[in-house]
Structure formats: C-alpha cells, structure tokens
Amino acid sequence: MTTPVKNPLQIPALTDAEEISCDVLVVGGGTAGTMAALTAAEHGADVLLLEKAHVRHSGALAMGMDGVNNAVIPGRAEPDDYVAEITRANDGIVDQSTVRQTATRGFGMVQRLESYGVKFEKDEHGDYAVRQVHRSGSYVLPMPEGKDVKKVLYRQLRRREMRERIRIENRVMPVRVLTSPQDGRAVGAVGFHTRTGAFVVVRAGAVILATGACGRLGLPASGYLYGTYENPTNAGDGYAMAYHAGAELTGIECFQINPLIKDYNGPACAYVANPFGGYQVNRHGERFVDSDYWSGQMMAEFAAEVASDRGPVYLKLSHLPEESISSLESILHSTERPTRGTFHSGRGHDYRTHDIEMHISEIGLCGGHSASGVRVDDHARTTVPRLYAAGDLACVPHNYMIGAFVFGDLAGADASQYTPYEGELPTDQLRAAHELIYRPLRNPDGPPQPQVEYKLRRFVNDYVAPPKSGARLSLALE
C-alpha cells in the first residue's frame, strides 16, 4: 500500500500523507467488520477495510468459535422471549429495539453463514441442535468446525466480485474519525501504517467502527499486560475514536467481568460444559449459582463465593462419562484458545480426575458480552451522522457473535447509500491526529509504553473496579 518512510523512527510530514477515498470505510476486520464490508459491497458501495493486523487472522474470532450463544431458531425459541430474557439480565436497562434486531435476524444470519460454508451442529433429523443453558429458551448452537470460521469469512472477502468492491489494507491503524466542521458528520479517518510509520488519511462517505471490546482496561491478576480475558489486541481503540468524534457512549458502568480458569487467560466455558452436565461448585462440592448465565447477578454470586470461606470454586466435570469429556476436550482444546489443553497437562490435570479451579477476570468494556459500548440505534447508527458501530463495540447487550454479524450487516447496508466526502478535510483534526500519532517519537526519553500502561491499569483496578464506591470513583477522576 504505502511507500515506506526512509527511517521508521523519522516523523513523516503532514503533507506527505497518503490519502485514500472510498464510499464506506470499515475499521476492523473481525466479526462485525468483515460482515459490514461484505454487505456494503453487495449493495454496490466501494469499501475500504482497514485492519491493524491482518484480516486473515484478526479480531476475537481469529481462533474460531465453539458455538453460538444466542441463536433464536424458529420452533425452539421466540424473539419475544429472547428480548425479555436480555431485558431481565440487564435489569431493564436496555434498548429493546436493538436486541430485537438480533432476535429476528439471527436465524437468517445463521443460514447466510451456512451458505458460506460455516457448519452448525444438527440432530439426526437435520434440525439445528440447539441446547438449553439459560433458565428458559434454547439458544446455544454448537459449531463442530468453529475453528475455521475466520478462514471461511476471508474466502468470502477474496471472491472475485468482492475484490472488485472491497479494498483491504492490513497493518493500518486508525486513531481518529474525521468529522465535518459544518454538520459534524463522519467524513473519514486518520491513522498510520504499523510497519512503515507512514501517515494515512481516508476520505469516506460513511465510517463503520468494528474494533471489538476494550479488553485492556483492568489489569489481570497475573500482572501480564496481554494476559486478558479478551483478545488483547482489542484494546479500546474504537471507544476512543467514537468518543473523540462526539458519539455517545452508554452503559460504561456495566463492566465485563467473566469467570475464567485460574492462572490462565481464558474462560472456563461453563456455558459449553453445562449442556454436557458440567456445573460450578464450591470447595464443599455444593452448587451455588442461582441466577441465569448471562445476568450480572450471576457474576455477583460467583464473586461472593470466591471471596468467602467456601472458596475456591470449580467447574465440575470429573463426574461426566468418557464420551462427554472427550467431546468437551475436542471443543475446548481446539477452538478459541488451543493452549488450554497444554495448560492443564502441564499441571498434570485431566478433566477425568481434576475439576477446573475458576477465578474472576479483570474488568473490561464490551457491548456484545456485557452492556458497555457506543450507543447505536436499530440500524447500527451512532449519534454522529454517518458514523456506525457494530460488534462488541456497540452497546447491544449480550449480542455475541451472531449479533455482531447482524449489526455488521445492518451497518453495511445503511452506510452503502453514501459517496465520498467532497469537501476539504479538516486541517485542524489532521494536525491534531498527526501530533498524537508521532508524539512518542518527539519524546524519545519518556517513560516506556508498557510502564505507562501498567500504571494506568493498576489505577483502574484500585479505583474503578468493583466493589465501586463514590470515594474511589472520585479519586479516579482527580
């Protein structure tokens, strides 16, 4: 894409920026971003897809997915029931119109993914083998070859008819959305090439942010900056870009906190194990979770049990028959985090003989697995004209993978109506972004980035993470 700068440590001139023009700019090549790009192109738009890594293996979906958490399959669940469940899980603080989009469009998305080559588990009658994990409704749909989901999507992006409409630029990281001084609408973005250091400016008719969760907010118990529950490359870029563009964020007080395997930065996947007969117990072997899987109350019960004299807590699997354990191993050790099996074997543990000790993750922000994200309407539009958000960045509570695809599709369809901005790009915004990007090179003797990040995230743990109090939050704002 770009002409490398002569010296990677040399600051390129603002006037040396490479400018790219497109109808629709998609930032992030993960779940929602890929679908947004495909849909916008199918609607006739010229699309630019920017990815700071490589689209082939980027985002939270990079290692695949073992199943769908919220598949509303006709005959097995009803959209009204799903909307009611999500509303209860979020204590009524939810925009039901957005949740309903996932409830009513999710089945069509499952079928679309099947047409691409994604495989979903079916029973002996050829029906979708959805399983019940929640107190009502069966929404969990396993994916027997879920590790290949991203490969399947990438093949779709590389189809000849899509290549004619979708330009992919890997290793380009946007840092700011550009907005029109006249009416505030999104008109592009500005960033840099992560390998060459080149300054990149994009002129667009609409911008779709699909950058994932803010996984590097709190500090894990291990102290390792990248040992997060979320994909650590999902560092909150989109939250910052949306905020500085003037978009409203919502539900930020609703952190994402998850049960995970102790000393391992990965989920215990109780929702996968529960349909096989696994469940959580305290050290006395007593079951203690009385609320539903996706409610905040569940995490409160879990945290209280861990902190009590009834802890540690475990995911109990050792009572299961060999067939069930083998099936679980094939799912949990091959998809999302294949190092899980290595972690257990390194400790001499086996699901047949040892239950899995669980703990609590650091806090993060995530619209798709919690309720903290950029405010969107039922077409993924933010409060800034022509700026969209989809996937874990958008506040559509418990939207998960299917919801990310749905809202990527909605964003791509709506954004495809726009053509590139024809006015002069705002010089003051370009200058500010240029200063932000190359500030570290202007201060070579400043503190190293890992040290700064560690301090900030320790600060989050000390003053922002639960249990919350007015005194701690006030100190955080000082």
Side-chain angles (χ1 to χ4, degrees), residues 168-198:
I168 298 174
E169 291 293 349
N170 295 305
R171 312 298 181 187
V172 175
M173 181 174 177
V175 299
R176 288 289 185 266
V177 172
L178 298 173
T179 56
S180 166
Q182 285 73 42
D183 55 18
R185 73 179 188 266
V187 297
V190 60
F192 67 102
H193 195 285
T194 62
R195 293 295 186 269
T196 68

mmCIF file of all heavy atoms in Angstrom, residues 168-198:
data_model
loop_
_atom_site.group_PDB
_atom_site.id
_atom_site.type_symbol
_atom_site.label_atom_id
_atom_site.label_comp_id
_atom_site.label_asym_id
_atom_site.label_seq_id
_atom_site.Cartn_x
_atom_site.Cartn_y
_atom_site.Cartn_z
ATOM 1 N N ILE A 168 -8.726 -4.068 0.842
ATOM 2 C CA ILE A 168 -8.249 -4.379 2.193
ATOM 3 C C ILE A 168 -6.859 -3.790 2.372
ATOM 4 O O ILE A 168 -5.975 -4.003 1.547
ATOM 5 C CB ILE A 168 -8.202 -5.898 2.430
ATOM 6 C CG1 ILE A 168 -9.600 -6.503 2.315
ATOM 7 C CG2 ILE A 168 -7.606 -6.210 3.798
ATOM 8 C CD1 ILE A 168 -9.626 -8.026 2.402
ATOM 9 N N GLU A 169 -6.688 -3.039 3.444
ATOM 10 C CA GLU A 169 -5.371 -2.535 3.805
ATOM 11 C C GLU A 169 -5.040 -3.043 5.205
ATOM 12 O O GLU A 169 -5.610 -2.597 6.194
ATOM 13 C CB GLU A 169 -5.327 -1.002 3.763
ATOM 14 C CG GLU A 169 -5.429 -0.411 2.373
ATOM 15 C CD GLU A 169 -4.204 -0.728 1.502
ATOM 16 O OE1 GLU A 169 -3.198 -1.229 2.042
ATOM 17 O OE2 GLU A 169 -4.276 -0.471 0.280
ATOM 18 N N ASN A 170 -4.140 -4.016 5.269
ATOM 19 C CA ASN A 170 -3.687 -4.541 6.543
ATOM 20 C C ASN A 170 -2.581 -3.665 7.111
ATOM 21 O O ASN A 170 -1.932 -2.903 6.393
ATOM 22 C CB ASN A 170 -3.180 -5.974 6.362
ATOM 23 C CG ASN A 170 -4.292 -6.922 5.946
ATOM 24 O OD1 ASN A 170 -5.318 -7.029 6.616
ATOM 25 N ND2 ASN A 170 -4.101 -7.609 4.819
ATOM 26 N N ARG A 171 -2.351 -3.790 8.406
ATOM 27 C CA ARG A 171 -1.289 -3.064 9.113
ATOM 28 C C ARG A 171 -1.501 -1.556 9.115
ATOM 29 O O ARG A 171 -0.540 -0.793 9.192
ATOM 30 C CB ARG A 171 0.093 -3.384 8.521
ATOM 31 C CG ARG A 171 0.371 -4.856 8.306
ATOM 32 C CD ARG A 171 0.365 -5.635 9.581
ATOM 33 N NE ARG A 171 0.658 -7.050 9.349
ATOM 34 C CZ ARG A 171 0.582 -7.993 10.291
ATOM 35 N NH1 ARG A 171 0.223 -7.653 11.518
ATOM 36 N NH2 ARG A 171 0.857 -9.254 10.010
ATOM 37 N N VAL A 172 -2.745 -1.115 8.994
ATOM 38 C CA VAL A 172 -3.057 0.306 9.096
ATOM 39 C C VAL A 172 -3.970 0.508 10.298
ATOM 40 O O VAL A 172 -5.029 -0.114 10.392
ATOM 41 C CB VAL A 172 -3.734 0.850 7.824
ATOM 42 C CG1 VAL A 172 -4.149 2.307 8.023
ATOM 43 C CG2 VAL A 172 -2.794 0.730 6.635
ATOM 44 N N MET A 173 -3.550 1.360 11.215
ATOM 45 C CA MET A 173 -4.288 1.570 12.458
ATOM 46 C C MET A 173 -4.836 2.999 12.530
ATOM 47 O O MET A 173 -4.092 3.947 12.761
ATOM 48 C CB MET A 173 -3.389 1.314 13.663
ATOM 49 C CG MET A 173 -4.106 1.496 14.988
ATOM 50 S SD MET A 173 -3.071 1.011 16.380
ATOM 51 C CE MET A 173 -4.175 1.445 17.742
ATOM 52 N N PRO A 174 -6.146 3.169 12.335
ATOM 53 C CA PRO A 174 -6.746 4.494 12.522
ATOM 54 C C PRO A 174 -6.747 4.879 14.004
ATOM 55 O O PRO A 174 -6.855 4.014 14.878
ATOM 56 C CB PRO A 174 -8.180 4.318 12.002
ATOM 57 C CG PRO A 174 -8.142 3.062 11.191
ATOM 58 C CD PRO A 174 -7.110 2.199 11.832
ATOM 59 N N VAL A 175 -6.641 6.168 14.259
ATOM 60 C CA VAL A 175 -6.670 6.645 15.636
ATOM 61 C C VAL A 175 -7.771 7.683 15.878
ATOM 62 O O VAL A 175 -8.159 7.911 17.022
ATOM 63 C CB VAL A 175 -5.315 7.232 16.066
ATOM 64 C CG1 VAL A 175 -4.222 6.171 15.998
ATOM 65 C CG2 VAL A 175 -4.942 8.439 15.220
ATOM 66 N N ARG A 176 -8.246 8.320 14.822
ATOM 67 C CA ARG A 176 -9.293 9.324 14.975
ATOM 68 C C ARG A 176 -10.244 9.273 13.776
ATOM 69 O O ARG A 176 -9.818 9.063 12.633
ATOM 70 C CB ARG A 176 -8.716 10.736 15.073
ATOM 71 C CG ARG A 176 -7.999 11.032 16.387
ATOM 72 C CD ARG A 176 -8.975 11.145 17.541
ATOM 73 N NE ARG A 176 -8.323 11.533 18.772
ATOM 74 C CZ ARG A 176 -7.877 10.681 19.698
ATOM 75 N NH1 ARG A 176 -8.008 9.375 19.500
ATOM 76 N NH2 ARG A 176 -7.316 11.135 20.803
ATOM 77 N N VAL A 177 -11.523 9.487 14.039
ATOM 78 C CA VAL A 177 -12.527 9.681 12.996
ATOM 79 C C VAL A 177 -12.542 11.163 12.641
ATOM 80 O O VAL A 177 -12.539 12.023 13.538
ATOM 81 C CB VAL A 177 -13.919 9.236 13.476
ATOM 82 C CG1 VAL A 177 -14.996 9.615 12.453
ATOM 83 C CG2 VAL A 177 -13.937 7.737 13.749
ATOM 84 N N LEU A 178 -12.535 11.477 11.374
ATOM 85 C CA LEU A 178 -12.635 12.862 10.930
ATOM 86 C C LEU A 178 -14.103 13.247 10.796
ATOM 87 O O LEU A 178 -14.907 12.466 10.289
ATOM 88 C CB LEU A 178 -11.929 13.043 9.588
ATOM 89 C CG LEU A 178 -10.426 12.750 9.572
ATOM 90 C CD1 LEU A 178 -9.895 12.807 8.141
ATOM 91 C CD2 LEU A 178 -9.670 13.727 10.462
ATOM 92 N N THR A 179 -14.454 14.452 11.248
ATOM 93 C CA THR A 179 -15.838 14.919 11.170
ATOM 94 C C THR A 179 -15.901 16.273 10.470
ATOM 95 O O THR A 179 -14.965 17.075 10.547
ATOM 96 C CB THR A 179 -16.473 15.048 12.569
ATOM 97 O OG1 THR A 179 -15.661 15.920 13.387
ATOM 98 C CG2 THR A 179 -16.576 13.687 13.243
ATOM 99 N N SER A 180 -17.001 16.506 9.792
ATOM 100 C CA SER A 180 -17.188 17.740 9.049
ATOM 101 C C SER A 180 -17.366 18.925 10.000
ATOM 102 O O SER A 180 -18.194 18.867 10.914
ATOM 103 C CB SER A 180 -18.411 17.625 8.144
ATOM 104 O OG SER A 180 -18.798 18.895 7.658
ATOM 105 N N PRO A 181 -16.630 20.014 9.809
ATOM 106 C CA PRO A 181 -16.820 21.205 10.644
ATOM 107 C C PRO A 181 -18.196 21.829 10.447
ATOM 108 O O PRO A 181 -18.692 22.546 11.319
ATOM 109 C CB PRO A 181 -15.712 22.158 10.170
ATOM 110 C CG PRO A 181 -14.726 21.291 9.461
ATOM 111 C CD PRO A 181 -15.524 20.178 8.853
ATOM 112 N N GLN A 182 -18.826 21.561 9.295
ATOM 113 C CA GLN A 182 -20.124 22.166 9.008
ATOM 114 C C GLN A 182 -21.274 21.480 9.740
ATOM 115 O O GLN A 182 -22.105 22.136 10.372
ATOM 116 C CB GLN A 182 -20.397 22.153 7.495
ATOM 117 C CG GLN A 182 -19.621 23.184 6.701
ATOM 118 C CD GLN A 182 -18.152 22.830 6.580
ATOM 119 O OE1 GLN A 182 -17.811 21.671 6.351
ATOM 120 N NE2 GLN A 182 -17.285 23.813 6.746
ATOM 121 N N ASP A 183 -21.350 20.169 9.653
ATOM 122 C CA ASP A 183 -22.507 19.481 10.233
ATOM 123 C C ASP A 183 -22.146 18.332 11.169
ATOM 124 O O ASP A 183 -23.019 17.638 11.665
ATOM 125 C CB ASP A 183 -23.430 18.955 9.131
ATOM 126 C CG ASP A 183 -22.695 18.064 8.135
ATOM 127 O OD1 ASP A 183 -21.597 17.583 8.450
ATOM 128 O OD2 ASP A 183 -23.233 17.854 7.019
ATOM 129 N N GLY A 184 -20.857 18.114 11.419
ATOM 130 C CA GLY A 184 -20.439 17.109 12.391
ATOM 131 C C GLY A 184 -20.478 15.673 11.914
ATOM 132 O O GLY A 184 -20.175 14.751 12.676
ATOM 133 N N ARG A 185 -20.840 15.441 10.654
ATOM 134 C CA ARG A 185 -20.935 14.055 10.199
ATOM 135 C C ARG A 185 -19.538 13.461 9.980
ATOM 136 O O ARG A 185 -18.567 14.185 9.739
ATOM 137 C CB ARG A 185 -21.741 13.971 8.912
ATOM 138 C CG ARG A 185 -21.066 14.472 7.649
ATOM 139 C CD ARG A 185 -22.013 14.296 6.464
ATOM 140 N NE ARG A 185 -21.400 14.568 5.173
ATOM 141 C CZ ARG A 185 -21.444 15.721 4.559
ATOM 142 N NH1 ARG A 185 -22.076 16.744 5.132
ATOM 143 N NH2 ARG A 185 -20.889 15.873 3.373
ATOM 144 N N ALA A 186 -19.451 12.145 10.065
ATOM 145 C CA ALA A 186 -18.191 11.458 9.833
ATOM 146 C C ALA A 186 -17.824 11.547 8.365
ATOM 147 O O ALA A 186 -18.654 11.271 7.486
ATOM 148 C CB ALA A 186 -18.300 9.999 10.260
ATOM 149 N N VAL A 187 -16.576 11.920 8.087
ATOM 150 C CA VAL A 187 -16.137 12.088 6.694
ATOM 151 C C VAL A 187 -14.866 11.294 6.393
ATOM 152 O O VAL A 187 -14.317 11.390 5.298
ATOM 153 C CB VAL A 187 -15.908 13.578 6.364
ATOM 154 C CG1 VAL A 187 -17.215 14.356 6.475
ATOM 155 C CG2 VAL A 187 -14.832 14.181 7.263
ATOM 156 N N GLY A 188 -14.393 10.516 7.353
ATOM 157 C CA GLY A 188 -13.191 9.729 7.109
ATOM 158 C C GLY A 188 -12.482 9.388 8.395
ATOM 159 O O GLY A 188 -13.059 9.408 9.474
ATOM 160 N N ALA A 189 -11.205 9.085 8.280
ATOM 161 C CA ALA A 189 -10.397 8.728 9.444
ATOM 162 C C ALA A 189 -8.942 8.988 9.134
ATOM 163 O O ALA A 189 -8.550 9.179 7.976
ATOM 164 C CB ALA A 189 -10.607 7.262 9.819
ATOM 165 N N VAL A 190 -8.127 8.971 10.178
ATOM 166 C CA VAL A 190 -6.703 9.196 10.022
ATOM 167 C C VAL A 190 -5.963 8.210 10.917
ATOM 168 O O VAL A 190 -6.421 7.878 12.012
ATOM 169 C CB VAL A 190 -6.336 10.657 10.361
ATOM 170 C CG1 VAL A 190 -6.712 11.005 11.791
ATOM 171 C CG2 VAL A 190 -4.869 10.927 10.116
ATOM 172 N N GLY A 191 -4.837 7.702 10.420
ATOM 173 C CA GLY A 191 -4.079 6.728 11.188
ATOM 174 C C GLY A 191 -2.671 6.589 10.642
ATOM 175 O O GLY A 191 -2.149 7.496 9.986
ATOM 176 N N PHE A 192 -2.066 5.430 10.894
ATOM 177 C CA PHE A 192 -0.697 5.217 10.438
ATOM 178 C C PHE A 192 -0.474 3.751 10.104
ATOM 179 O O PHE A 192 -1.198 2.867 10.581
ATOM 180 C CB PHE A 192 0.308 5.676 11.496
ATOM 181 C CG PHE A 192 0.294 4.848 12.761
ATOM 182 C CD1 PHE A 192 1.268 3.887 13.000
ATOM 183 C CD2 PHE A 192 -0.684 5.044 13.718
ATOM 184 C CE1 PHE A 192 1.262 3.125 14.157
ATOM 185 C CE2 PHE A 192 -0.704 4.289 14.887
ATOM 186 C CZ PHE A 192 0.271 3.325 15.107
ATOM 187 N N HIS A 193 0.534 3.509 9.276
ATOM 188 C CA HIS A 193 0.902 2.149 8.912
ATOM 189 C C HIS A 193 1.819 1.602 9.999
ATOM 190 O O HIS A 193 2.847 2.212 10.324
ATOM 191 C CB HIS A 193 1.606 2.138 7.554
ATOM 192 C CG HIS A 193 1.708 0.783 6.947
ATOM 193 N ND1 HIS A 193 2.609 -0.162 7.389
ATOM 194 C CD2 HIS A 193 1.015 0.196 5.933
ATOM 195 C CE1 HIS A 193 2.483 -1.266 6.681
ATOM 196 N NE2 HIS A 193 1.517 -1.078 5.788
ATOM 197 N N THR A 194 1.446 0.459 10.585
ATOM 198 C CA THR A 194 2.168 -0.036 11.752
ATOM 199 C C THR A 194 3.538 -0.618 11.418
ATOM 200 O O THR A 194 4.311 -0.904 12.331
ATOM 201 C CB THR A 194 1.340 -1.107 12.481
ATOM 202 O OG1 THR A 194 1.124 -2.226 11.603
ATOM 203 C CG2 THR A 194 -0.004 -0.547 12.933
ATOM 204 N N ARG A 195 3.836 -0.816 10.144
ATOM 205 C CA ARG A 195 5.142 -1.340 9.761
ATOM 206 C C ARG A 195 6.067 -0.251 9.204
ATOM 207 O O ARG A 195 7.261 -0.266 9.449
ATOM 208 C CB ARG A 195 4.992 -2.453 8.714
ATOM 209 C CG ARG A 195 4.328 -3.706 9.259
ATOM 210 C CD ARG A 195 5.195 -4.366 10.330
ATOM 211 N NE ARG A 195 4.644 -5.634 10.767
ATOM 212 C CZ ARG A 195 3.813 -5.778 11.789
ATOM 213 N NH1 ARG A 195 3.434 -4.709 12.485
ATOM 214 N NH2 ARG A 195 3.369 -6.968 12.132
ATOM 215 N N THR A 196 5.508 0.684 8.460
ATOM 216 C CA THR A 196 6.348 1.713 7.836
ATOM 217 C C THR A 196 6.331 3.034 8.575
ATOM 218 O O THR A 196 7.203 3.876 8.369
ATOM 219 C CB THR A 196 5.889 1.976 6.394
ATOM 220 O OG1 THR A 196 4.590 2.609 6.420
ATOM 221 C CG2 THR A 196 5.812 0.678 5.603
ATOM 222 N N GLY A 197 5.311 3.249 9.410
ATOM 223 C CA GLY A 197 5.177 4.529 10.100
ATOM 224 C C GLY A 197 4.535 5.605 9.260
ATOM 225 O O GLY A 197 4.418 6.763 9.691
ATOM 226 N N ALA A 198 4.101 5.280 8.042
ATOM 227 C CA ALA A 198 3.520 6.283 7.145
ATOM 228 C C ALA A 198 2.207 6.832 7.702
ATOM 229 O O ALA A 198 1.453 6.126 8.388
ATOM 230 C CB ALA A 198 3.287 5.667 5.773
#
